[in-house]
Amino acid sequence: MTWTIIILLAVGVASLRLLGMYGGTALVRRVPMFERLGSLIPAAVVSAVIAQLTFASGKSLTIDARSAGVAVAAVLIWRRAPIIVVILAAAATTALLRL
Amino acid sequence: MSGTSTSARPEWGTLIGIGLTFFAIGVTVNVLVYEHVGSAVKTIAAAGIVLSATSELAYVAVRDVGGSVLAALIAGWVVASRFGLLAASLGTRIQVGHLQRSCAALNCLDPNVGVAMQQATPKGVITAFWWVTGALHLGWWCGTFTGVFLGNIIGDANRLGLDAVFPALLLAIIANLLRQKPGLIAALVGGGLCAALLPIAPAGTPIILSLTGAVVALKVPEPKAALS
């Protein structure tokens, strides 16, 4: 990874963020339906990230120790456990299953 | 679970959890990036100016399997396009000047937007956003330096189960959204679609297409509390 690549990657990522903040927000404000859509985007997009981080192994899907850790976290979240407990339990479960 | 108090500052437990998670991400990601880049300065610079662990990982992953520089860059950008969607979402809820708005855009990540969007007022949204941003930066930078300079001592960070920490944190952050039907539908459709497309779609595109979940959820009536 050269300096040019780092800068290109950074400029691209920053541009997408600024485009969303200015272009995306303007669009959402002009079309009333998009306003509600905007409030639903975090749930849809973050869930997709969770699915990818939990089940993806390269280009395939897998259920492994990491998935079990996230499943334990899900139960604790459902039981309204504090976030620290949730993430420590997820890590501990995953690590123990990998012993 | 978003852990918000009446002052809009998230609870300390939430902030510490987010900080610890980003420490773990900082370590795991930057051990990998440092192995690929071979330079501590470049690894730390990339961590700071790209500010997207998934973009860096996408770039490294494509290059490691023999992909071209352009393909790797595109993968990094596509993966980061979700931050544009999150920024658009955040942008509708904040009332700040251009400087702060631009700074907020450049710091848009999953946890800070996720927590901020659950606040009731524009002031609460931006306050929660910056508190979470501070916590995740602290964790990210400590993790980055640890990964770069102590990575060889730590070894395989996934052995410690750190790869389960970020999805667990994100799930905790959006838990409140999942307790309402529209949010739950958006999450199930978005997450399910992403999982289904992962094996067949180019890197990053399943996350973009997860936007479909939000579109489908538009058909679900809003909860009465949200309408009033």
Side-chain angles (χ1 to χ4, degrees):
Chain A
M1 196 185 276
T2 63
W3 282 110
T4 308
I5 296 297
I6 292 170
I7 290 166
L8 283 173
L9 195 58
V11 168
V13 173
S15 302
L16 287 163
R17 283 174 163 139
L18 289 167
L19 183 67
M21 180 60 81
Y22 288 98
T25 300
L27 189 66
V28 167
R29 282 185 173 150
R30 277 186 194 153
V31 184
M33 184 191 73
F34 283 180
E35 188 147 354
R36 190 167 171 233
L37 184 69
S39 69
L40 292 166
I41 285 173
V45 173
V46 175
S47 295
V49 177
I50 293 168
Q52 180 160 348
L53 292 171
T54 305
F55 300 113
S57 178
K59 288 288 284 180
S60 59
L61 298 176
T62 180
I63 292 177
D64 54 13
R66 173 190 50 171
S67 319
V70 178
V72 168
V75 172
L76 290 170
I77 291 163
W78 176 54
R79 302 294 301 163
R80 297 182 188 269
I83 278 186
I84 290 179
V85 174
V86 169
I87 62 172
L88 290 177
T93 304
T94 307
L96 284 171
L97 288 173
R98 283 182 179 148
L99 283 178
Chain B
M1 180 50 69
S2 65
T4 54
S5 64
T6 50
S7 69
R9 173 183 57 73
E11 290 167 5
W12 286 111
T14 301
L15 294 172
I16 293 168
I18 288 167
L20 285 175
T21 301
F22 269 74
F23 174 78
I25 297 168
V27 172
T28 51
V29 168
N30 287 295
V31 164
L32 292 172
V33 174
Y34 183 46
E35 274 176 19
H36 181 88
V37 173
S39 157
V41 175
K42 283 182 186 172
T43 304
I44 292 165
I49 64 172
V50 178
L51 195 61
S52 168
T54 45
S55 292
E56 288 187 75
L57 285 181
Y59 179 87
V60 170
V62 173
R63 292 293 287 153
D64 280 351
V65 296
S68 68
V69 169
L70 183 62
L73 273 174
I74 290 172
W77 291 330
V78 171
V79 165
S81 55
R82 76 177 190 276
F83 299 132
L85 297 174
L86 293 172
S89 184
L90 180 73
T92 60
R93 295 287 314 280
I94 56 175
Q95 293 169 358
V96 293
H98 282 298
L99 181 62
Q100 190 175 178
R101 185 173 283 273
S102 300
C103 289
L106 295 173
N107 281 282
C108 272
L109 290 160
D110 312 277
N112 52 9
V113 177
V115 171
M117 290 297 287
Q118 295 178 51
Q119 308 304 315
T121 64
K123 192 181 176 196
V125 170
I126 197 69
T127 302
F129 176 84
W130 286 122
W131 272 101
V132 175
T133 302
L136 63 84
H137 267 291
L138 185 62
W140 172 248
W141 283 108
C142 291
T144 296
F145 280 94
T146 305
V148 168
F149 295 111
L150 301 174
N152 54 345
I153 297 170
I154 295 167
D156 181 12
N158 287 349
R159 178 176 50 90
L160 305 173
L162 298 187
D163 51 338
V165 166
F166 193 37
L169 172 78
L170 292 180
L171 194 56
I173 284 171
I174 64 164
N176 280 344
L177 299 174
L178 304 184
R179 293 184 205 281
Q180 295 184 342
K181 201 172 174 187
L184 181 63
I185 298 292
L188 288 175
V189 175
L193 193 63
C194 177
L197 292 172
L198 270 172
I200 50 173
T205 49
I207 290 176
I208 306 309
L209 293 173
S210 70
L211 199 61
T212 309
V215 177
V216 171
L218 280 175
K219 297 187 183 301
V220 180
E222 284 187 78
K224 283 178 183 171
L227 288 169
S228 60

